């Protein structure tokens, strides 16, 4: 499996002969989605920078990734010159197929879970739906925690 890391400079990445079957992942930590600033989670103090990175407070030591899936898709699209459809499938259909859950996730086929996002032309998330119900809307700037709880999702902080 080929991987592209957001932290690697594009010039150092090996060319990818085909994007078919590539799976995009994000291993984002709790800091994902937080605005620029300093924070403390447990005993760990860290800062989120304007460049979109999270460092141990007062150092240049990365504490983990805070990249969101939409940013992974955009980076992949730019780094590979693949089509928008191929980039989106690498973040949706391919992971679902790899996990053996393609009948429920990664598709909008009949009888699927109907978990999906709405994107603008620049692939920025505009709204998030879980089981067909709106749970986050960029225009309204809020999310519906009750809807999320009804869907049985635990550990939810924010949908980006």
């Amino acid at each position: 499996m080929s991987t592209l890391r957001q932290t690697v400079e594009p010039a150092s990445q090996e060319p990818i002969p085909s994007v078919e079957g590539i799976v995009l992942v994000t291993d984002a930590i709790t800091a994902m989605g937080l605005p620029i600033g300093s924070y403390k989670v447990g005993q760990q103090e860290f800062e989120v920078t304007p460049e979109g990175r999270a460092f141990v407070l007062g150092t240049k030591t990365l504490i983990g990734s805070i990249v969101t899936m939409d940013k992974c898709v955009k980076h992949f699209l730019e780094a590979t010159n693949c089509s928008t459809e191929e980039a989106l499938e690498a973040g949706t259909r391919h992971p679902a197929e790899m996990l053996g859950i393609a009948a429920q996730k990664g598709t909008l086929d009949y009888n699927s879970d109907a978990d999906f996002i709405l994107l603008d032309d620049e692939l920025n998330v505009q709204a998030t739906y879980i089981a067909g119900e709106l749970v986050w809307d960029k225009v309204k700037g809020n999310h519906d925690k009750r809807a999320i709880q009804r869907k049985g999702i635990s550990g939810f902080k924010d949908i980006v």
Side-chain angles (χ1 to χ4, degrees):
M1 173 189 308
S2 298
T3 57
L4 289 174
R5 294 184 47 91
Q6 183 128 8
T7 56
V8 176
E9 295 298 320
S12 67
Q13 295 172 354
E14 295 287 325
I16 298 174
S18 170
V19 297
E20 181 57 40
I22 287 182
V23 173
L24 299 181
V25 297
T26 178
D27 58 351
I29 61 170
T30 304
M32 180 188 74
L34 292 176
I36 297 165
S38 299
Y39 301 91
K40 185 175 183 177
V41 174
Q43 299 299 314
Q44 184 65 62
E45 294 183 51
F46 63 91
E47 62 183 322
V48 175
T49 68
E51 297 80 29
R53 302 226 170 136
F55 295 104
V56 173
L57 191 62
T59 75
K60 290 297 179 191
T61 302
L62 287 170
I63 64 165
S65 172
I66 60 173
V67 67
T68 57
M69 183 53 75
D70 59 324
K71 289 180 183 171
C72 286
V73 169
K74 289 179 207 178
H75 181 72
F76 182 69
L77 182 63
E78 181 181 309
T80 64
N81 292 316
C82 67
S83 71
T84 300
E85 180 181 357
E86 289 170 320
L88 290 170
E89 286 181 349
T92 57
R93 184 174 64 89
H94 298 169
E97 288 171 348
M98 187 181 88
L99 293 171
I101 58 172
Q104 299 86 29
K105 305 286 184 191
T107 181
L108 290 177
D109 289 341
Y110 183 74
N111 279 337
S112 67
D113 288 348
D115 298 339
F116 62 95
I117 57 174
L118 297 180
L119 303 170
D120 64 16
D121 290 341
E122 286 79 42
L123 302 180
N124 298 306
V125 179
Q126 301 300 302
T128 302
Y129 289 77
I130 298 175
E133 188 170 343
L134 177 67
V135 296
W136 183 83
D137 185 303
K138 183 176 182 176
V139 174
K140 294 179 184 175
N142 63 358
H143 58 267
D144 184 349
K145 287 185 180 179
R146 290 181 316 254
I148 293 163
Q149 289 168 346
R150 284 193 304 274
K151 305 303 177 201
I153 298 171
S154 61
F156 173 81
K157 291 210 174 229
D158 281 311
I159 295 176
V160 177

